[in-house]
Each structure stands twice: as C-alpha cells, then as structure tokens.
Amino acid sequence: MTDARRFAPATERNREPILEVLRTWLPGAGTVLEIASGTGEHVVHFAVALPQLAFQPSDPDPANRDSIAAWITHAKVANVRMPLDLNATTSSWTLPEAPVAVLCINMIHISPWTATLGLMRNAAAVLTGGGILYLYGAFKRDGMHTAPSNVAFDESLRARDPAWGVRDLEAVLEAAAGAGLALAGITAMPANNFSVVLRRD
Ligand SMILES: C[S@@+](CC[C@H](N)C(=O)[O-])C[C@H]1O[C@@H](n2cnc3c(N)ncnc32)[C@H](O)[C@@H]1O
C-alpha cells in the first residue's frame, strides 16, 4: 500500500514553539480551521496536544490533501476532519462548521499578495466577533528585513516566482484592519519568524 504522507522537516522544528503560542490564544472549545495545511504534520501535532478542540485542515494542492489525510489516518486522531480544498483567494469559503479560529502558517510569503488579501477577507467572513486569525512566518518590519538570512530567503522566493516574497508586516496588518481584523499580539519566534494574532472586531 502506498503512503501519501509528505514530510517537511521544518515542521518538526517549529511545531512546539507554535503550539506554545496557540495554547495562549485558542479558546477552550470549537473548531479551528487551518488554511494552507501543507503536509498535515502541524495540524495532527496540534490536534493531539489540544484534544478539546476540533481541527479542520485544508489545502488547494491535491497531493497535500492526500498527505494530510494520510497523516490523520497514521496518527489515529479523532479530532481532525478530513482536508478541504480551500484557496485563500476564492471569493468565499464553504465550511461544514463555523470556526472559532483560523490558522495560516507559512503561506503569506509563498503566494501572491492577492492570497493575503483573500485570506483576510475570507477569515473575517467566517469568524464571529472575538475569533482569531493566527499567522506564522517571516516578515519584514517597517520595510526592513529582520535578519540577513531573511534577505536570502526573500531573494530565493522571488527567483522562484516574482509574485512571492517576504511581506512587510505593517502592510499585512493594514490589509487585516481593512477586512475587520485588529492586531491582538505579535511574538518573535525562533529562526527570525513571527507569530501574529489578529482578532475579528
Ligand atoms: C510553504 S507551504 C506551508 C505548509 C504548512 N503550513 C507548513 O508550514 O509546513 C505553503 C502552503 O501554502 C499553500 N498555498 C499556496 N497558495 C495558497 C492559496 N492561495 N490558498 C491556500 N493555500 C495556498 C500551498 O499549497 C502549501 O501547502
């Protein structure tokens, strides 16, 4: 039998620091929607650690959805739904249940700016007042890179696709505010990344 699980080594390094931040922000019950779940390693790890919550992963890439499904089966976790085909840029998301929070880890820099705008618009539409959107990734601050390694990372992203790149956090926050998502917290993370928590007005 083939094993569709994909492996992203960075998830093993960043999943615990991310989980520690999520513990302080996620509510005690409800469904957490993840956009751009990738391999599915993060969502399975979070679901095992936070059994009081249900998790709904998603990804527009069918091979990633196969990997997410395979990780769910492998981990035998009951509180993760099968992945949805959701794209940040689509006009609206159809969900089986309203989420109390939306997670988006490492997507903003590796997609066109329209994906960030769509993420903000759609997250604001599916969250009710007080619900949070959690972002994780590399960001510039006030137009400046925060580390030399991020300069090289930005260049490598733009070489792969000119529409990609490390975004200015202030521009991301402006897009969020325009959609009705207010900044609730920023945490500096290992390897020059940031956790950013936005709250639905
Ligand atoms: C670098 S991977 C990150 C995956 C995972 N969150 C992680 O941190 O390991 C980027 C992910 O963004 C997804 N993605 C790219 N464009 C997207 C879009 N417009 N809407 C939703 N997901 C998107 C890709 O399919 C991929 O799974």
Side-chain angles (χ1 to χ4, degrees):
M1 202 170 79
T2 57
D3 184 350
R5 282 180 301 156
R6 289 177 155 187
F7 295 80
T11 60
E12 289 191 12
R13 296 190 293 274
N14 61 29
R15 64 189 186 181
E16 273 303 317
I18 293 173
L19 178 61
E20 287 317 303
V21 176
L22 292 179
R23 283 186 196 281
T24 67
W25 290 100
L26 291 180
T31 299
V32 177
L33 170 67
E34 186 181 35
I35 298 301
S37 298
T39 63
E41 290 163 281
H42 275 146
V43 77
V44 163
H45 186 74
F46 302 154
V48 169
L50 303 168
Q52 71 280 16
L53 292 165
F55 287 81
Q56 174 63 71
S58 72
D59 204 281
D61 179 338
N64 280 346
R65 291 198 300 279
D66 287 348
S67 175
I68 298 162
W71 272 108
I72 295 168
T73 304
H74 175 82
K76 298 184 175 67
V77 276
N79 58 330
V80 189
R81 314 286 182 243
M82 281 297 155
L84 299 175
D85 178 5
L86 292 183
N87 193 313
T89 57
T90 50
S91 57
S92 65
W93 295 336
T94 302
L95 303 175
E97 47 198 318
V100 291
V102 179
L103 314 181
C104 187
I105 299 170
N106 286 324
M107 184 203 78
I108 284 179
H109 57 262
I110 202 155
S111 56
W113 181 242
T114 49
T116 298
L117 297 177
L119 172 69
M120 299 305 170
R121 187 186 64 249
N122 281 310
V126 298
L127 290 170
T128 52
I132 67 154
L133 170 60
Y134 170 88
L135 308 176
Y136 171 92
F139 295 96
K140 290 188 269 187
R141 301 300 311 271
D142 296 313
M144 306 289 288
H145 284 293
T146 61
S149 60
N150 280 0
V151 178
F153 181 46
D154 192 21
E155 284 169 3
S156 71
L157 288 167
R158 289 175 194 280
R160 286 170 68 188
D161 188 327
W164 296 357
V166 174
R167 310 295 178 192
D168 194 2
L169 183 54
E170 285 63 34
V172 173
L173 296 179
E174 197 177 316
L181 296 162
L183 178 63
I186 299 176
T187 306
M189 304 293 283
N192 306 305
N193 290 293
F194 289 97
S195 284
V196 180
V197 178
L198 304 162
R199 188 178 280 122
R200 183 77 176 96
D201 292 342

